[in-house]
């Protein structure tokens, strides 16, 4: 049985949205797990033999989901998504430090933001993209410089309302794709 076909600890209401591999023994998959009527973050790890459910922060009282993941190294991975509840939808960024997942703060330009994908050049050059909920035509790009996340400007004119994918090739060479509801 191939690794992608191996039994995993997913439940009947679980959804996986992204996967990233650092090696054949270091694969992460992320999504959402619904229990008690509310989506919570879902993180699975493949160690070369089996999938294991790994605890990840899911803000209390909020609907939380992870939409993108990137493996940067053996003890270094990032996952991005959103957390929705009273006060809107906020960015959700989590970091694997080799022993546990931890929430990392990032600027959230509005009260309805979402990150959908993440890519890395190095541990100090990571990009995440999604949507800035301030209004139509506001894609969002954020950058990790090894110390903090910051909002990155995108070149105008963009004909997309949101970014759904990102590929960081090298410093200064980052590509993003998205879609538009505009005619």
């Amino acid at each position: 049985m191939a690794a992608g076909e191996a039994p995993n600890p997913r439940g009947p209401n679980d959804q996986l949205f992204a996967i990233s591999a650092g090696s054949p023994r270091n694969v992460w998959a992320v999504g959402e797990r619904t229990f008690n009527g509310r989506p919570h973050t879902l993180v699975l790890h493949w160690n070369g033999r089996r999938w294991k459910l790994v605890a990840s922060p899911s803000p209390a009282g909020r609907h939380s989901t992870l939409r993108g993941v990137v493996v940067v190294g053996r003890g270094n991975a990032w996952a991005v998504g959103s957390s929705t509840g009273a006060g809107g939808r906020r960015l959700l960024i989590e970091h694997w430090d080799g022993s546990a997942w931890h929430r990392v703060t990032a600027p959230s330009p509005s009260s309805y933001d979402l990150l959908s994908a993440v890519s890395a050049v190095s541990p100090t050059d990571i990009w995440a993209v999604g949507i800035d909920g301030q209004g139509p035509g506001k894609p969002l790009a954020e950058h990790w410089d090894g110390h903090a996340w910051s909002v990155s400007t995108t070149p105008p004119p963009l004909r997309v309302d949101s970014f759904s994918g990102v590929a960081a090739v090298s410093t200064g060479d980052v590509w993003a794709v998205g879609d538009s509801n505009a005619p």
Side-chain angles (χ1 to χ4, degrees):
M1 186 179 286
E5 300 170 12
N8 66 57
R10 287 190 17 177
N13 296 320
D14 296 349
Q15 295 182 50
L16 293 172
F17 299 117
I19 191 166
S20 181
S23 74
R25 294 185 201 161
N26 186 23
V27 181
W28 291 95
V30 298
E32 68 183 27
R33 163 169 276 189
T34 302
F35 59 92
N36 296 331
R38 180 169 293 149
H40 299 268
T41 59
L42 172 64
V43 176
L44 299 176
H45 184 254
W46 175 257
N47 65 8
R49 296 182 314 279
R50 66 181 178 93
W51 287 102
K52 178 182 176 186
L53 181 65
V54 179
S56 63
S58 203
R62 299 181 68 85
H63 295 233
S64 301
T65 185
L66 295 171
R67 297 272 177 187
V69 64
V70 65
V71 177
V72 183
R74 186 160 191 236
N76 190 354
W78 290 87
V80 299
S82 66
S83 182
T84 307
R89 182 173 68 189
R90 298 287 185 192
L91 302 179
L92 181 58
I93 299 179
E94 299 187 1
H95 179 245
W96 173 255
D97 65 6
S99 60
W101 285 94
H102 303 278
R103 285 185 66 196
V104 177
T105 59
S108 195
S110 77
S111 61
Y112 202 70
D113 298 328
L114 167 122
L115 291 173
S116 55
V118 61
S119 184
V121 174
S122 72
T124 60
D125 194 359
I126 300 171
W127 293 86
V129 298
I131 185 168
D132 175 343
Q134 290 184 26
K138 296 286 285 186
L140 176 63
E142 298 232 359
H143 181 251
W144 173 258
D145 65 5
H147 302 287
W149 285 95
S150 61
V151 175
S152 181
T153 57
T154 56
L158 289 175
R159 295 190 48 113
V160 297
D161 293 326
S162 66
F163 287 136
S164 55
V166 62
V169 180
S170 64
T171 300
D173 191 4
V174 180
W175 297 81
V177 296
D179 61 5
S180 175
N181 292 324

